[in-house]
Amino acid sequence: MNRFLTTILFLLAFSSISLGQGKGKQPNIILVFMDDLGYGDLGVTGALDYHTPVLDRMANNGIRFTNFLVPQAVCSASRAALLTGTYPNRMGISGAFMPNAGVGLAPEEETLAEMLKSKGYATQIIGKWHLGNEPEFLPTKQGFDAYYGIPYSNDMWPVGFDGKPAKTDSYVAKYPVLPLLQIKGGQARPDTVMKINNLEDQAVLTEKYTRQAVDFINNNRKKPFFLYLAHSMTHVPIAASKKFRGTSEQGLFGDVMQEIDDSMGQILKSLKDNGISDNTIVIFTSDNGPWLNFGNHNGSSGGFREGKGASWEGGQRVPCIISWPNKIKEGRINNNLTSSMDIYATIAELSNFKGQKNQIDGISFLDQISDSNAPAHRQSMYYYYNKNDLEAVRYKNWKLVFPHRSRSYEGILPDNDGFGGKYNEHEIKEMELYDLRRDPSERYNVIEQNPEILKVLLGIAEEARNDLGDNLTKSEGKNRRPLGRIK
């Protein structure tokens, strides 16, 4: 056999191994995206008074990422980044879209679903979309064969914090009734499965999503599939089904988490029952940190500073667990800097997808799944918030925070039992530098001791401003794309 033919056969064999195909079958992919789940909200990360044994086993038998960041600590922006592998502000996306706002993820953006559909995958989203609720922006316009879920956050409804219809002078009274939608293959417009009018209606969402997920797995067991399960919980208002109410010592939040864990158990069981668990990648993560001013109805940032809506680690560092029995033979901890944007790039490499039309910001960590000694590929990260404010940048374990005003949960008590407390405002007046290796809670400014590190981080910030812009320094940026708008 000549050397050229030997090389070709080796590359073909390596390609099959890298895809985890074994007999040539592409791996199934399940991506579970929680809402407002904090870093400390799993048993394996220190949760108290409730139990998540299924997720803990996933972590102990798979890979748990401890330095995993979303690029913006808020709903729509975080979801857009996950599905496209791109900083949301590059796509003109920030914050959380309101119902019927006339904006959404631009049709020109390429999603995970479109990528995998081009590779022959069946694709479905179950749960929260929140990337535009008008017909032009619905999931079936972005590569999903079918959709079952709510179009935006579950607090965007004309109901008060007490679960009763909103009073006419309430700001939520303007919202339309929250629908549970379904779009089956080939439908042009969604059907309304039910109208969500009260907390009892909210309480059945996790159960309904889980049943839909199991049905999808059963119906697609003989072909590769991509399931995006975006839970409505633990975004307030939280609610658990009757089966789980009162089952934890932590109250309703603990009950909700135990139902989520049971949901994961049902999904993993369906994979096993269908004989496809070994060849299925299951990714579990969250869109941002906890909404801390809701007190006992929200979770824990695990000791990191602040929570949802802030560029401190508590807002953007979230749990991430990956299970793939074909490739991950024993449990591992990965402490490398990674991001939810990197999931897109990883799956693109896994599926040998090379047809990307747009610039992405994700970096594949595929080799880190199979090789515990693989080096970290992501060295830096931008922390944007608001419309396009560059509030911080990261280089390895170093984080430079720029002058800005931000939401704060510190120095003020939260409310409880479904009601949200007030926010404080925190102002950073001068640049601050943190060594996250020694100070993960960002309490000790060491900028005067590290002039060389400061220089590196300022260089990264300049790259960010040239590329994406920065409202705080009135930088336009050269490579931003337009937000999707109804024409």
Side-chain angles (χ1 to χ4, degrees):
M1 188 181 295
N2 63 47
R3 183 178 298 176
F4 176 76
L5 183 57
T6 301
T7 302
I8 293 297
L9 290 174
F10 172 80
L11 290 173
L12 288 172
F14 179 80
S15 174
S16 177
I17 292 170
S18 69
L19 284 170
Q21 292 178 352
K23 296 181 181 180
K25 190 176 187 302
Q26 296 164 293
N28 308 305
I29 299 166
I30 298 177
L31 176 55
V32 181
F33 208 46
M34 296 296 297
D35 201 338
D36 293 358
L37 183 80
Y39 187 91
D41 286 336
L42 305 179
V44 75
T45 57
L48 299 175
D49 296 329
Y50 61 87
H51 304 284
T52 57
V54 175
L55 287 162
D56 295 349
R57 282 196 299 273
M58 267 186 67
N60 292 333
N61 295 321
I63 297 178
R64 180 163 68 91
F65 291 82
T66 65
N67 217 336
F68 188 87
L69 302 177
V70 296
Q72 201 172 125
V74 65
C75 293
S76 298
S78 183
R79 288 158 204 279
L82 175 78
L83 290 177
T84 65
T86 307
Y87 279 111
N89 49 312
R90 185 182 298 284
M91 301 177 286
I93 294 175
S94 61
F97 294 150
M98 295 296 109
N100 304 320
V103 296
L105 182 66
E108 294 77 19
E109 300 296 342
E110 203 160 29
T111 67
L112 270 170
E114 289 172 302
M115 176 209 301
L116 291 170
K117 193 175 176 66
S118 75
K119 293 292 182 177
Y121 278 69
T123 61
Q124 174 149 2
I125 171 178
I126 298 169
K128 175 179 169 179
W129 174 237
H130 214 172
L131 290 173
N133 69 291
E134 287 90 352
E136 294 90 332
F137 302 122
L138 288 174
T140 48
K141 299 291 187 180
Q142 292 284 4
F144 289 99
D145 297 327
Y147 169 43
Y148 181 95
I150 61 174
Y152 32 75
S153 292
N154 64 328
D155 66 337
M156 294 178 175
W157 64 333
V159 178
F161 291 124
D162 57 2
K164 299 177 182 179
K167 297 177 181 178
T168 55
D169 60 347
S170 168
Y171 75 94
V172 300
K174 64 182 180 181
Y175 289 135
V177 172
L178 180 63
L180 178 63
L181 302 176
Q182 183 168 29
I183 306 178
K184 297 180 179 179
Q187 281 185 235
R189 290 183 175 272
D191 295 324
T192 299
V193 176
M194 64 178 287
K195 294 180 179 180
I196 303 170
N197 293 310
N198 51 51
L199 293 174
E200 286 301 317
D201 291 341
Q202 295 261 6
V204 301
L205 289 178
T206 299
E207 181 181 0
K208 285 181 175 291
Y209 293 168
T210 304
R211 190 180 305 125
Q212 289 286 324
V214 170
D215 287 347
F216 175 77
I217 292 167
N218 292 339
N219 293 335
N220 291 278
R221 63 188 182 277
K222 295 183 179 180
K223 56 187 174 184
F225 62 76
F226 169 52
L227 170 61
Y228 174 43
L229 173 56
H231 277 292
S232 301
M233 303 294 146
T234 55
H235 195 293
V236 294
I238 59 172
S241 66
K242 292 179 181 178
K243 178 181 176 181
F244 288 91
R245 283 179 220 164
T247 59
S248 80
E249 297 177 20
Q250 213 278 322
L252 184 56
F253 183 84
D255 301 343
V256 167
M257 285 303 303
Q258 291 188 168
E259 183 164 19
I260 291 293
D261 191 71
D262 180 80
S263 168
M264 287 302 302
Q266 292 183 56
I267 289 167
L268 296 178
K269 182 178 183 299
S270 70
L271 295 174
K272 187 174 182 179
D273 290 347
N274 283 295
I276 56 176
S277 58
D278 283 351
N279 197 42
T280 301
I281 304 167
V282 182
I283 304 169
F284 179 92
T285 187
S286 177
D287 66 342
N288 46 248
W291 208 349
L292 294 172
N293 61 317
F294 280 89
N296 63 357
H297 275 207
N298 223 265
S300 164
S301 61
F304 295 112
R305 186 171 176 178
E306 299 286 11
K308 173 180 179 175
S311 295
W312 303 100
E313 292 299 289
Q316 293 191 221
R317 195 184 299 208
V318 294
C320 179
I321 300 168
I322 297 181
S323 167
W324 186 10
N326 262 356
K327 297 293 287 182
I328 307 168
K329 302 300 183 183
E330 59 184 13
R332 295 205 310 275
I333 301 291
N334 187 310
N335 297 326
N336 295 334
L337 178 61
T338 43
S339 170
S340 58
M341 295 183 295
D342 299 338
I343 290 173
Y344 181 101
T346 300
I347 293 175
E349 182 181 358
L350 171 70
S351 61
N352 196 32
F353 180 76
K354 300 184 183 299
Q356 288 153 349
K357 298 178 293 186
N358 300 317
Q359 178 181 348
I360 68 168
D361 301 294
I363 303 170
S364 173
F365 53 73
L366 183 61
D367 60 343
Q368 296 178 55
I369 290 178
S370 57
D371 182 3
S372 59
N373 295 315
H377 300 303
R378 177 172 290 283
Q379 302 292 321
S380 62
M381 188 80 185
Y382 309 150
Y383 295 69
Y384 276 92
Y385 199 68
N386 295 321
K387 288 293 184 183
N388 201 38
D389 296 354
L390 183 64
E391 297 185 348
V393 293
R394 176 93 174 261
Y395 173 66
K396 295 184 177 179
N397 56 290
W398 297 95
K399 183 174 178 181
L400 181 63
V401 180
F402 298 108
H404 71 279
R405 293 176 180 270
S406 70
R407 170 192 298 182
S408 176
Y409 303 96
E410 297 181 355
I412 190 169
L413 287 174
D415 213 329
N416 282 310
D417 301 329
F419 292 86
K422 295 180 179 180
Y423 299 114
N424 237 341
E425 184 179 73
H426 186 79
E427 183 178 7
I428 299 295
K429 296 182 178 180
E430 302 288 342
M431 289 190 299
E432 298 178 358
L433 178 67
Y434 297 96
D435 179 358
L436 298 179
R437 183 184 71 84
R438 299 176 61 198
D439 178 26
S441 58
E442 301 170 282
R443 296 297 176 185
Y444 305 102
N445 180 12
V446 293
I447 195 166
E448 293 182 3
Q449 296 175 313
N450 297 279
E452 294 304 315
I453 292 294
L454 174 61
K455 189 181 299 183
V456 171
L457 284 157
L458 287 173
I460 291 170
E462 192 60 27
E463 291 173 2
R465 289 166 182 146
N466 287 334
D467 186 16
L468 295 174
D470 172 23
N471 286 350
L472 295 175
T473 58
K474 296 181 172 54
S475 304
E476 289 295 325
K478 301 175 182 177
N479 299 304
R480 295 171 66 194
R481 303 193 288 266
L483 174 65
R485 298 183 183 276
I486 292 179
K487 296 179 181 179

